[in-house]
Amino acid sequence: MPTVTISSNSGFCFGVVYAVEMAESYLAHHPYLYCLGDIVHNDEEVQRLKQKGLRIISHSDLPNLAGETVLIRAHGEPPETYELALRYGIRLLDASCPVVLKLQNRLREIDRPDVQIVLLGKLGHPEIIGLVGQLEKAKLFVVSSPEEVDTLPLEPRKVTYLFSQTTKSPALFAAVAERLLQRCPDSIIADTLCRQVSNREPHLEAFARSQDVVLFVAGKKSSNGKSLFSVCQAANPRSYYISSPEEIVWAWLEGAEKIGIAGATSTPQWLMEKVKSHIEAHFATMVAQ
Ligand code: SF4
């Protein structure tokens, strides 16, 4: 029977813990709560909270929610969302992560016409939408790879900054910074990566190496899930990405004596425990046969 271990450096970051606790404490006294977008990029956790009364909505629903209470999740929102809430008399429960709010403030502070900003991130990601919304005067370029930096129409006379979506990997950020400095040597490199994610990488790497097989548990839409999974995979090629226990292919675990379970900052502890129990029950059945 193999040993199954959950990595001690996995599971919710403080930003997600804060948002989920805020939702649960509200729902303890109210029948329902609206949340703008998935509270966390994990379908299982969203389902659990929906059963307690969480109702996921989109921005287009806001005009129909006058007088209601709406939760803003950890990713943060652009100023436009706050203006809409004011216009429609919506009460906001703001669970924007302080790390994201700090980055939004920094962008607002340098929002001038003589500034151009390169932002490492994924277009369309809610955090990026919130960040882009902070800027009115500066020129902004969102990139997802070092190669894209070469194609940007950068203006040599402008002050150039590099920022990053909080959940990107340090290696990718360093590669983008290097490319930008080749083009604009005076660029100001602002490392805005969240340490809740980047500090996990060395631990995760060591954990993945110490296991025969790693099951990485995260939602399909989790940005830091993909980033942290690539760390696992580089350290241990027998790493597999799953979103629920049912996705385990038992052939992956063949011959493994040590099975590791890890997760993203959006992966609830209970889900990793569920994966562990599922594996242990499977092997217990095999022993009994
Ligand atoms: S990963 Fe970091 S920035 Fe994002 S919600 Fe968690 S603590 Fe906040």
Side-chain angles (χ1 to χ4, degrees), residues 207-228:
F207 177 75
R209 280 192 209 288
S210 71
Q211 303 296 313
D212 295 324
V213 175
V214 178
L215 296 177
F216 190 89
V217 190
K220 302 273 184 274
K221 286 184 266 179
S222 169
S223 177
N224 82 85
K226 283 172 200 144
S227 170
L228 291 174

Side-chain angles (χ1 to χ4, degrees), residues 29-285:
H29 306 286
H30 301 83
Y32 64 88
L33 171 65
Y34 293 104
C35 177
L36 203 43
D38 286 347
I39 187 166
V40 57
H41 286 162
N42 188 281
D43 291 344
E44 279 70 16
E45 179 67 354
V46 170
Q47 275 311 116
R48 187 184 73 83
L49 291 167
K50 274 184 177 173
Q51 278 159 15
K52 292 189 165 200
L54 195 73
R55 299 179 182 175
I56 308 298
I57 54 153
S58 64
H59 292 82
S60 61
D61 295 315
L62 289 176
N64 306 318
L65 296 176
E68 297 284 3
T69 301
V70 173
L71 180 87
I72 290 186
R73 58 191 170 171
H75 291 312
E77 284 290 322
E80 193 192 343
T81 303
Y82 294 85
E83 286 157 20
L84 278 176
L86 201 62
R87 190 181 317 154
Y88 294 111
I90 294 167
R91 181 175 167 247
L92 293 177
L93 274 187
D94 197 345
S96 301
C97 175
V99 179
V100 176
L101 287 178
K102 193 172 160 200
L103 173 52
Q104 291 184 349
N105 285 339
R106 285 182 78 177
L107 289 175
R108 278 201 302 277
E109 279 165 18
I110 57 157
D111 185 23
R112 301 189 311 267
D114 64 324
V115 164
Q116 57 190 358
I117 298 167
V118 178
L119 177 59
L120 171 63
K122 187 178 166 210
L123 262 181
H125 187 283
E127 183 186 317
I128 290 291
I129 293 171
L131 296 175
V132 171
Q134 309 302 320
L135 298 165
E136 285 177 357
K137 303 181 195 106
K139 187 111 182 143
L140 175 75
F141 305 100
V142 178
V143 299
S144 57
S145 69
E147 293 73 32
E148 280 175 56
V149 175
D150 297 339
T151 64
L152 300 177
L154 294 167
E155 293 177 44
R157 274 173 300 158
K158 287 196 173 186
V159 184
T160 308
Y161 286 86
L162 173 66
F163 287 92
S164 175
Q165 184 180 332
T166 55
T167 47
K168 289 289 166 192
S169 85
L172 180 62
F173 182 72
V176 170
E178 192 185 330
R179 213 62 162 240
L180 184 62
L181 287 167
Q182 280 165 9
R183 281 199 68 186
C184 305
D186 295 329
S187 298
I188 298 160
I189 308 299
D191 178 350
T192 52
L193 299 169
C194 175
R195 294 301 177 249
Q196 286 274 312
V197 181
S198 53
N199 283 350
R200 288 185 181 195
E201 291 196 5
H203 294 285
L204 196 56
E205 197 179 336
F207 177 75
R209 280 192 209 288
S210 71
Q211 303 296 313
D212 295 324
V213 175
V214 178
L215 296 177
F216 190 89
V217 190
K220 302 273 184 274
K221 286 184 266 179
S222 169
S223 177
N224 82 85
K226 283 172 200 144
S227 170
L228 291 174
F229 175 64
S230 64
V231 172
C232 271
Q233 227 179 7
N236 185 338
R238 288 184 75 184
S239 297
Y240 302 95
Y241 196 109
I242 57 167
S243 298
S244 66
E246 294 72 35
E247 292 178 16
I248 297 172
V249 175
W250 297 115
W252 295 341
L253 311 183
E254 252 173 39
E257 285 176 11
K258 288 185 281 178
I259 299 169
I261 298 171
T265 55
S266 51
T267 308
Q269 185 70 26
W270 66 260
L271 184 57
M272 291 185 287
E273 301 282 358
K274 200 170 157 191
V275 170
K276 182 176 192 276
S277 310
H278 191 65
I279 296 169
E280 286 172 343
H282 169 78
F283 284 105
T285 316

